[in-house]
Amino acid sequence: MLPKLPCPFAEQGCSERFKDCGGLTNHIGTYHCNLNLVEIPLPKLPSPSPPSSNLSWDEHSPSPPALPPPSPVPFDANFPPSPSPEPTETRTYHPKLTGIPTDENGEPLPLGTPPPPHMDHSDDPWYPFEDESGFRLADFLYREEEMSAKKVDYLLEIWALDKAKNNNLAPFDSYAQMYGAIDAIEFGDAPWQSFSMNFADDSNHPADTPWKSASYEVWYRDPTRVISNLLDNANFNGQFDYAPFVEVDKRGQRRWNDFMSGSDKTTVSVATGHVEYHPLYLSIGNIHNTVRRAHHNAIVPIGFLAIPKSDWKYNNNAAFCKFKRELYHTSISRILRPLRDGMSTPVIQRCPDGHFHRVIYELAAFIADYPEQVALAGIVQGWCPKCVLILAAFVSAHL
């Protein structure tokens, strides 16, 4: 019979002995868990005595049993804590701006309600005109010839003279009917409009220079119409966010993505009059960047800003620099003015999923390279737009 295994803590007063390693390990973990031991080797066991001579083993008999070799008992009273879970990306959605589907009046719909039917005229290539002849006539008179309304009526009256003979009616009764059909076109971009701006003269700055007396024309499109067209694009469905959220990456840093709007100082020359502009672009943050790169109509020009010109001697003129700065900011403010009401009162818009949603407008990031930052801050080329506190305050006041 093998001797019992003594407790390795005999010097501390423990006289327990055990017949196997399992009992010894359980005893140490139960009664000596407050001691800071790293590894406790078991006492060496004497080698088993050889079998007596009156016993013999047949070659087909199993080998005699042998004790397992003793192994050290690892032990640490202060077990290390469980490893912390891997950090993950998180999204925290806005508690009130949920982006749930609504009806045309903005009332929330029950969960699972299908989107309302969309008026689709894709099977009629000439809609809203009755046929191809009406479309081609309107395109020729309005776009190619730019014929006046009076002359359009005169042409239609001549056409109507053959009505009694062969019943060959004109596609339109009057210019008003033709204009109505043109205005009813649902496809296409928002129409371009324009406004003019000039120097606000006062007694301290008399209008005695060309840049003071000149009138500057700014072309733009209604941003609410442009945004409505972007939202009502079924191609964006599946790559479109309907509710605002804060996204945090694995490092705990907030991630900014999918927001882009701004302007590019690349000039656009107009053949008539040698007028130069630089374009202003708009996009919406709901659209994912992957879709924005794939679809050219996810970034839309909404304005062409005027570029004031003058003699070189006025390049460092304080009044001229101030005017260019005010022209730039006032033009952008004028273009974005239609969005103001929608920043406090929700607007009902159809979105890529086919449902109506309550939409709130908010201006986000403005992307600008260094030349554009110079124009925004009204500083001299080579200066830092962030270090001039007075100009920075001016920019903030006019955005």
Side-chain angles (χ1 to χ4, degrees), residues 92-95 97-99 241-246 286:
T92 304
Y93 285 85
H94 197 281
L97 302 178
T98 57
D241 296 316
Y242 294 91
F245 58 86
V246 174
N286 310 75

Side-chain angles (χ1 to χ4, degrees), residues 80-86:
S82 301
S84 58
E86 290 291 331

Side-chain angles (χ1 to χ4, degrees), residues 101-150:
T102 68
D103 58 18
E104 296 184 13
N105 299 319
E107 297 298 328
L109 294 175
L111 185 64
T113 303
H118 198 288
M119 296 298 295
D120 186 10
H121 301 284
S122 57
D123 57 341
D124 184 2
W126 311 115
Y127 179 85
F129 303 93
E130 292 185 359
D131 50 28
E132 181 180 1
S133 63
F135 170 79
R136 296 183 63 176
L137 179 63
D139 181 66
F140 175 75
L141 298 180
Y142 184 81
R143 184 181 63 85
E144 293 190 18
E145 289 299 317
E146 299 182 357
M147 187 175 293
S148 65
K150 183 177 180 180

Side-chain angles (χ1 to χ4, degrees), residues 15-85:
S15 59
E16 295 290 334
R17 303 177 71 86
F18 304 92
K19 64 179 180 179
D20 55 28
C21 297
L24 176 59
T25 303
N26 293 335
H27 170 74
I28 293 174
T30 303
Y31 296 99
H32 304 290
C33 60
N34 293 327
L35 297 177
N36 295 325
L37 297 179
V38 177
E39 186 172 306
I40 304 295
L42 291 175
K44 294 183 178 180
L45 299 176
S47 301
S49 57
S52 60
S53 58
N54 61 342
L55 293 177
S56 63
W57 294 94
D58 186 74
E59 63 179 358
H60 300 289
S61 300
S63 302
L67 292 176
S71 59
V73 181
F75 177 74
D76 188 352
N78 298 325
F79 293 99
S82 301
S84 58

